[in-house]
Each structure stands twice: as C-alpha cells, then as structure tokens.
Amino acid sequence: MSERRGGSVRVALIPRTAEHVRIYWKRIQDEEIRKRIPLQSLSLEETLAQFEASRRPGAGSFGMCIEADGVYVGDIWCYGIHGEDEKTAMLSFLIFEKSLWGKGAGSEAARLFCREVLSRYGIRRLGAFTYAENIGSLKALEKAGFLEKERFLEEGKLSVYLEWQKPSADTR
C-alpha cells in the first residue's frame, strides 16, 4: 500500500477486489460522473470479467483503489501496458466521491500510482486523456507531473492528451 497526504486528506492506494469493482460500477452510473470522463458502457458482469482478466499473468492492465482517510473513493488504473521495449501505458483515474473533487486526492493518487507502475512494470511513460472542460482532472494530472501534449476534437468534445515520463534522476 502506498500512502501520502493530498491536500487535506490522507490518500492511499490499495489492491482492488471484486467487491470494490461492484461498488465502483454502481457509483459510475451517476450522470454527472459520466459527463466528465469517457467510460465504456459495460454491464456489471463485463466489468467484473475485465477485472478478472487484469489479474492474470501478463495482463495488459493493472488497477488499484484510491482511499481517502481510509474510505474507498475511486479507482486508478493503467492499460495498454506495452512489452519490454516501449515501457509505456495509458493512465485513467476516477474519484467517484464528489465531495473530494478539487481537494488534491486525484493528483496524489496519480503521483503514487506513477511510482507504483514504475516500480512494478518499469513503465517509463504514461499517457492520459481528459476532456478539456474537466478542469479538475486536467489540474490533477498536471500536479502529478503530466504535461499537455495535444488538444483535439473527439466525438464533438475538446479532449486533451497529456504525458508523464519517468524522472531522469529517480528521486523515489
């Protein structure tokens, strides 16, 4: 478990369980959340199957739960984990506890997770997408060390691509 203070809350990353996935799936059915982040419309069974697939050896994805002050408040994951040569992946996170939006939990979770995937997989570069209007997500990624690389229209929405790279002098 990784833990650090983010804003006014203590943020920790913990392993995901099937019960977390059930809670997450239920919470992301919220219309306000779905407007802020591109999410696949999957059934609970499909979501649980994706979770189980991520636990298999050689899986191309990995995720953890975000806790704030000991309460499960969201998930963070990477997908598209590339093999030995590229050491890249894509990052996504979602804080479903709205009272924590803008409080630093997302940026702290992203910082912790970047260290985790660097240690676990040797990931040297993470990409992330967010909607330009999702200022909270954009700021959280930037605070975690992601740099904006590109803006583009996708399905009529202005989107932003950001990237994090392993620091040249590893300060872990």
Side-chain angles (χ1 to χ4, degrees):
M1 176 172 72
S2 302
E3 184 175 310
R4 224 166 109 185
R5 289 200 77 73
S8 61
V9 295
R10 189 183 77 253
V11 175
L13 300 181
I14 63 167
R16 293 177 84 208
T17 66
E19 184 55 29
H20 289 118
V21 174
R22 285 182 185 88
I23 294 166
Y24 175 84
W25 184 85
K26 185 175 180 180
R27 296 292 302 267
I28 66 168
Q29 302 313 305
D30 180 279
E31 188 177 318
E32 187 177 4
I33 289 172
R34 295 193 79 78
K35 280 190 218 175
R36 292 177 180 266
I37 185 169
L39 291 167
Q40 291 179 312
S41 292
L42 300 175
S43 69
L44 175 58
E45 292 73 25
E46 290 168 318
T47 304
L48 285 164
Q50 278 188 346
F51 164 69
E52 289 301 329
S54 76
R55 297 172 51 157
R56 293 188 191 113
S61 64
F62 168 72
M64 298 186 83
C65 293
I66 302 168
E67 282 191 343
D69 293 333
V71 176
Y72 173 47
V73 298
D75 281 11
I76 189 162
W77 61 96
C78 61
Y79 58 95
I81 299 172
H82 289 227
E84 296 298 315
D85 295 336
E86 286 194 50
K87 300 288 187 184
T88 64
M90 296 299 295
L91 173 107
S92 287
F93 74 95
L94 187 132
I95 305 288
F96 54 69
E97 184 56 52
K98 296 175 191 176
S99 66
L100 289 176
W101 290 356
K103 303 276 196 267
S107 58
E108 190 53 42
R111 276 194 284 273
L112 290 169
F113 193 75
C114 286
R115 274 191 246 140
E116 179 70 27
V117 296
L118 175 62
S119 170
R120 185 180 290 251
Y121 297 103
I123 299 291
R124 292 191 293 255
R125 188 175 71 227
L126 284 167
F129 291 101
T130 189
Y131 292 137
E133 66 190 33
N134 189 346
I135 302 300
S137 181
L138 196 54
K139 285 183 178 180
L141 288 165
E142 289 171 344
K143 285 181 183 177
F146 283 75
L147 300 174
E148 184 176 322
K149 296 292 185 178
E150 179 182 6
R151 287 183 178 241
F152 56 94
L153 278 178
E154 183 174 31
E155 296 180 17
K157 284 193 122 173
L158 184 60
S159 295
V160 182
Y161 173 72
L162 303 98
E163 239 177 43
W164 172 89
Q165 291 192 14
K166 174 188 171 189
S168 50
D170 194 356
T171 58
R172 289 182 296 149

